[in-house]
Amino acid sequence: MRTSKNITLMLIIACQLMIVLDASVMVTALPEIGRSLQLTTTNLTWVQNAYILAFGGLLLLGARLGDILGRKQVFMYGIALFTLSSLLVGLAQSSEFLLITRAIQGVAAAMATPSTLALLSVTFTEPKERSKAIALYSAVNGAGGSVGIILGGILTDLVSWRVGMFINVPIGIALLILSPRYLPKTEKASGRLDIYGALTSVIGMTSLVFGFIQASEKGWGANGTITPLIIGVILMALFILIESRVKQPITPLRLFANRDRTAGYLGRFLFVGGVFSMMYFMSQFLQIVLGFTSFEAGLVFVPMTAVQFGMMYVVPKLIGKFGNAKVLILGIIAAILGMSLLSRVSVDTHFFSGIIIPMIILGIGAGIVFIPFTTLGLKEVESRDAGAASGLVNVSHQIGGSVGLAILATVFGAVSQSSNPSKSEFANAVTASITGSALFLTSSLIVVVILLLLREKKSTTQSVLQTARAK
């Protein structure tokens, strides 16, 4: 029995690691991909965004699909599609084919990912073993991004960036062979899929991101910029209207009625938008400006990642002593400090003091914030909305990275003003972009302070007044 459960856990962890890795495995390979497929720095953002937008945008629909068709079945459908699309990405000979297959990968990930945690909960029912399984699952979720950056660098240097996609194929086949035997079945629920809500949100968000990317290359006044931005705004407004009227929405708007949850979603969205964009631009800065190999660029992120995971052991104690809101604010302030120091990079930057130290400070801040953000996103959620709230935490994480990268790509394009900038021009554009990342983190801080800290002060004032009146 225990052996069967261990194999089930291994299958779930392998799936989640494969999907998380693919969100970052190409980051350190992007300069090589750009050279081989003739993509500019701003257009390279689509290698990430095609995957992340489809993944994040369809995540809630994937969760609902699992409820209706069964988690095990949807998990296997997702893995089969992910395996096939990974093979096609690795075989891509044109940028258009690469981006289309990356988007299909994102769709597959949105199908498989929601089922993993549900299958884990069904398998591990005893509280102690469930907590251990979830801890391992969470560790893989957090470590996967950094492992992907390093792995992508190694494979790009030693063989080819394509191998990062090809390794998914044997893993996916193994999952498909073992899953029917070891994964438990889950009950199916009746209901309908919110197709219109899913389509308007994904197409609307993609249109907005496309508009920002176009602005970096053609300018804000071009028809190719204005039209997709307008379409994106209209579709997102239509999405909100649909969600307010449909009986079974993929995003129940009542989740935003709680200010704590809103702070968790919006604050996380802005924070990830800043950090993910920094990783994208810093990886290219290290290779193009400082001359690092893909592997060396990946290793630069190791100290930041190590500190980030180290903080996860400290954060629960800090929250127990100072409270969720104050710890979250402390973490964001530390991240802003690290990002601000990092935004001063140039062609003459001293590696240790100008890059490593700021990234360690940023890692401390990032290590602090995600537990409080997750806690806020799930705070006081009704049982009927538990799945949607959990999904919305993941959506804000994925879409935040995509939108942040799209917006800051316009900053990069505006500063570099060239499809083939010199090292000095490239460094200046990266500096401006990372300054934008610092502004994203500052916006996250402002949101959290307004929605959490000021609310706490208001509650304290009301309590004092009520006490005074009672006397």
Side-chain angles (χ1 to χ4, degrees):
M1 182 68 176
R2 180 168 294 278
T3 300
S4 177
K5 283 189 174 183
N6 288 338
I7 294 175
T8 300
L9 179 60
M10 179 192 71
L11 295 176
I12 293 171
I13 294 300
C15 167
Q16 193 62 18
L17 179 59
M18 183 171 63
I19 288 172
V20 171
L21 278 175
D22 271 42
S24 61
V25 73
M26 285 191 166
V27 170
T28 41
L30 287 174
E32 178 60 30
I33 295 173
R35 286 189 289 269
S36 62
L37 298 180
Q38 290 78 52
L39 284 166
T40 64
T41 299
T42 49
N43 282 334
L44 276 173
T45 60
W46 282 108
V47 177
Q48 295 299 104
N49 284 337
Y51 179 79
I52 295 172
L53 281 171
F55 182 14
L58 295 174
L59 201 57
L60 293 175
L61 185 67
R64 187 64 183 146
L65 194 65
D67 290 337
I68 296 174
L69 300 180
R71 295 291 180 186
K72 182 176 180 177
Q73 286 76 9
V74 173
F75 174 88
M76 293 182 63
Y77 294 151
I79 291 299
L81 183 59
F82 194 88
T83 303
L84 175 61
S85 57
S86 295
L87 176 63
L88 295 176
V89 172
L91 295 173
Q93 298 300 313
S94 69
S95 58
E96 294 81 7
F97 189 80
L98 173 68
L99 298 183
I100 290 171
T101 49
R102 279 289 276 173
I104 295 173
Q105 266 193 312
V107 174
M111 293 172 63
T113 297
S115 297
T116 55
L117 195 54
L119 289 169
L120 186 148
S121 298
V122 170
T123 303
F124 298 93
T125 55
E126 196 272 322
K128 188 174 181 180
E129 65 176 9
R130 175 183 289 186
S131 63
K132 289 182 178 179
I134 290 177
L136 181 58
Y137 180 92
S138 300
V140 167
N141 247 353
S146 299
V147 173
I149 290 177
I150 299 169
L151 180 63
I154 294 173
L155 295 176
T156 301
D157 267 2
L158 298 182
V159 191
S160 168
W161 63 266
R162 300 176 187 276
V163 180
M165 296 293 105
F166 291 148
I167 59 176
N168 291 334
V169 177
I171 297 174
I173 292 173
L175 289 172
L176 290 173
I177 293 173
L178 295 173
S179 293
R181 179 177 178 182
Y182 291 100
L183 291 183
K185 288 185 178 181
T186 58
E187 294 183 4
K188 299 178 183 180
S190 60
R192 294 182 177 181
L193 292 175
D194 180 14
I195 298 294
Y196 295 116
L199 289 177
T200 51
S201 64
V202 173
I203 298 173
M205 192 60 67
T206 302
S207 186
L208 287 174
V209 169
F210 181 75
F212 285 121
I213 298 298
Q214 288 292 92
S216 68
E217 296 199 331
K218 297 183 178 180
W220 289 98
N223 288 333
T225 299
I226 296 174
T227 301
L229 288 176
I230 292 175
I231 292 174
V233 170
I234 292 173
L235 286 175
M236 292 309 297
L238 183 59
F239 165 71
I240 294 173
L241 179 63
I242 291 172
E243 297 308 280
S244 67
R245 296 188 175 185
V246 73
K247 289 185 178 180
Q248 294 178 321
I250 56 171
T251 308
L253 298 182
R254 57 182 172 268
L255 288 174
F256 295 94
N258 183 292
R259 293 178 68 174
D260 287 353
R261 290 198 296 268
T262 301
Y265 302 141
L266 184 54
R268 189 187 195 105
F269 175 91
L270 293 166
F271 190 90
V272 174
V275 174
F276 184 81
S277 301
M278 179 280 295
M279 295 173 69
Y280 173 87
F281 290 111
M282 181 54 63
S283 173
Q284 297 201 57
F285 171 84
L286 292 167
Q287 295 178 68
I288 293 173
V289 178
L290 299 187
F292 283 34
T293 65
S294 300
F295 177 45
E296 291 168 343
L299 291 180
V300 171
F301 290 91
V302 172
M304 171 183 165
T305 306
V307 172
Q308 182 176 342
F309 285 112
M311 291 305 300
M312 290 185 180
Y313 295 98
V314 179
V315 172
K317 296 178 182 178
L318 293 175
I319 292 175
K321 187 173 183 179
F322 300 106
N324 207 56
K326 292 178 181 177
V327 170
L328 177 57
I329 290 171
L330 173 65
I332 299 176
I333 291 174
I336 291 172
L337 174 60
M339 192 73 79
S340 299
L341 293 173
L342 199 60
S343 70
R344 301 166 63 184
V345 293
S346 68
V347 291
D348 301 318
T349 293
H350 189 276
F351 176 69
F352 187 76
S353 61
I355 296 177
I356 294 298
I357 295 298
M359 289 183 76
I360 288 175
I361 297 173
L362 177 58
I364 292 173
I368 291 174
V369 302
F370 286 119
I371 291 177
F373 269 142
T374 302
T375 301
L376 288 174
L378 301 176
K379 189 173 182 180
E380 298 176 2
V381 174
E382 299 178 32
S383 57
R384 60 173 175 163
D385 293 330
S390 179
L392 202 52
V393 169
N394 287 320
V395 169
S396 62
H397 195 103
Q398 299 296 334
I399 298 298
S402 183
V403 172
L405 181 55
I407 292 174
L408 295 179
T410 67
V411 174
F412 180 92
V415 175
S416 66
Q417 296 184 337
S418 172
S419 60
N420 188 28
S422 65
K423 287 186 177 182
S424 179
E425 291 172 336
F426 195 96
N428 290 336
V430 169
T431 296
S433 300
I434 296 180
T435 299
S437 290
L439 292 177
F440 263 81
L441 301 191
T442 302
S443 299
S444 177
L445 176 63
I446 293 171
V447 165
V448 168
V449 168
I450 291 175
L451 293 178
L452 295 185
L453 203 59
L454 295 184
R455 179 185 61 77
E456 286 188 357
K457 289 183 178 180
K458 183 178 179 181
S459 299
T460 302
T461 302
Q462 290 176 342
S463 178
V464 171
L465 289 174
Q466 289 174 356
T467 302
R469 287 171 184 167
K471 291 181 178 179

